[in-house]
Amino acid sequence: MGIFHRAGESHGGAGHTTVVAPGTRITGGLESGGGLHIDGEVEGDVAAKSYVIVAKGAVVHGQIHAREVYLGGIVVGDIWAVEVEIYDGGVCHGHIEAIKIKRDNDKG
């Protein structure tokens, strides 16, 4: 899973993206006025005005609040979003509250 989505479109449209690189571990909350792309590990709550990508191999120990969440890794905590898309290998050990929840293999 990458920062680009269908046909090369960037998630979230406007704003900036903060990247937590593979092998990076952040302890404490993380907040972005744009989007977040997590490839490493975050121990703390995560909030983004736009989107959060939890890539395959990434782990978040905390709550996630964002307009869109793309889940390919592991979240140990609750997710609050307008839309959550879950990819193969994506797991949430907590509650998901969203208007729309979609598996990557869903047709609609």
Side-chain angles (χ1 to χ4, degrees), residues 1 5-6 11 52 54 68-75 79 83-98 100-106:
M1 174 183 345
H5 199 44
R6 297 178 188 97
H11 286 291
V52 173
V54 181
E68 301 166 1
V69 175
Y70 300 91
L71 183 59
I74 298 171
V75 173
I79 297 173
E83 181 176 342
V84 176
E85 189 163 341
I86 304 170
Y87 295 86
D88 286 340
V91 176
C92 178
H93 296 287
H95 297 284
I96 298 175
E97 187 171 322
K100 181 178 180 182
I101 300 174
K102 181 181 177 189
R103 299 256 340 145
D104 184 44
N105 58 0
D106 284 351

Side-chain angles (χ1 to χ4, degrees), residues 39-95:
D39 284 308
E41 184 175 354
V42 177
E43 291 249 1
D45 294 343
V46 172
K49 185 175 180 182
S50 184
Y51 62 88
V52 173
I53 299 170
V54 181
K56 186 174 185 167
V59 179
V60 174
H61 294 273
Q63 300 178 5
I64 296 178
H65 295 263
R67 188 174 65 225
E68 301 166 1
V69 175
Y70 300 91
L71 183 59
I74 298 171
V75 173
V76 181
D78 298 332
I79 297 173
W80 284 276
V82 174
E83 181 176 342
V84 176
E85 189 163 341
I86 304 170
Y87 295 86
D88 286 340
V91 176
C92 178
H93 296 287
H95 297 284

